Amino acid sequence: MGFAVSADSYDRFMGRFSSPLAAVLLDFASVDGGDVLDVGCGPGALTGELLRRGARVSAVDPSPGFVAAARQRHPGARVLEAAAEALPFADAGFDAALAQLVVQFMGDPAAGVAEMARVTKPGGTVAVCVWDHLAGPLAVFWQAVAALHHGDGPVPGETLAMGRRAGDLGGLLRGSGLADVLEAPIAVSVRFDDLDSWWAPFELGVGPPGDHVASLDPDARARLLERCRELLPSPPFDVRAVANAARGTHR
């Protein structure tokens, strides 16, 4: 999967949405300060927002490149290379543990969320969010892919990924023994001046969309771009991106 990319490429592709989403997630989770763990931090969008709010931040990511970028960008945070399913921290060490746009890429989401609960203090918060498959920032892209799909195999996309449907994340949190679980959609809106500024990051090879674009020959790529043009409003346009979010309290 296309996450062996530079932090700058990731920022151009998803950072335009994940950076504003970080503030919305923290408001939803009611996290403002304290000892906080950012799980799957990537280049550090959520880490940066936590630091701005005065939190003492630890962060982990399995990608060495993202860890290096997060350390450089946020020297005030402790950033380690680690997977969500094996967090290198003692039990009950954090006031909150958060995972923004990560659960769907965990090798074992249930184990990852259980680890987040383990390292959170009693009474602390565990919160996660994942883009909704019908209303996230990639919805138009995958709609265009589906419209042009030919072949006997499944339609490319991420609709079956954990968390992309309402109810998925709440079930994960409850399965980890968390109490007072609340689920709700959260959203951000991003403006694009033209189609090129929206499309160009899809050619950077980031994530499943980048993998799909890279697999296309030039003619197929041009057809996909034209279909996206037909589905998007006339520029300038806003893309409203909805994420499914859930939070719970460690007993």
Side-chain angles (χ1 to χ4, degrees), residues 119-162:
V119 302
T120 302
K121 298 174 183 177
T125 298
V126 174
V128 297
C129 71
V130 171
W131 293 124
D132 184 276
H133 79 282
L134 293 177
L138 306 179
V140 166
F141 175 84
W142 289 122
Q143 288 170 23
V145 170
L148 298 174
H149 179 67
H150 300 289
D152 298 327
V155 177
E158 302 175 80
T159 59
L160 299 180
M162 171 57 68

Side-chain angles (χ1 to χ4, degrees), residues 126-214:
V126 174
V128 297
C129 71
V130 171
W131 293 124
D132 184 276
H133 79 282
L134 293 177
L138 306 179
V140 166
F141 175 84
W142 289 122
Q143 288 170 23
V145 170
L148 298 174
H149 179 67
H150 300 289
D152 298 327
V155 177
E158 302 175 80
T159 59
L160 299 180
M162 171 57 68
R164 292 193 177 277
R165 296 167 295 252
D168 284 355
L169 298 178
L172 275 180
L173 268 59
R174 294 185 187 94
S176 295
L178 297 167
D180 303 321
V181 173
L182 173 66
E183 298 177 80
I186 60 176
V188 295
S189 186
V190 177
R191 167 143 293 212
F192 294 90
D193 293 330
D194 51 44
L195 179 66
D196 288 343
S197 62
W198 177 86
W199 170 260
F202 285 95
E203 298 193 348
L204 297 175
V206 182
D211 289 342
H212 181 71
V213 171

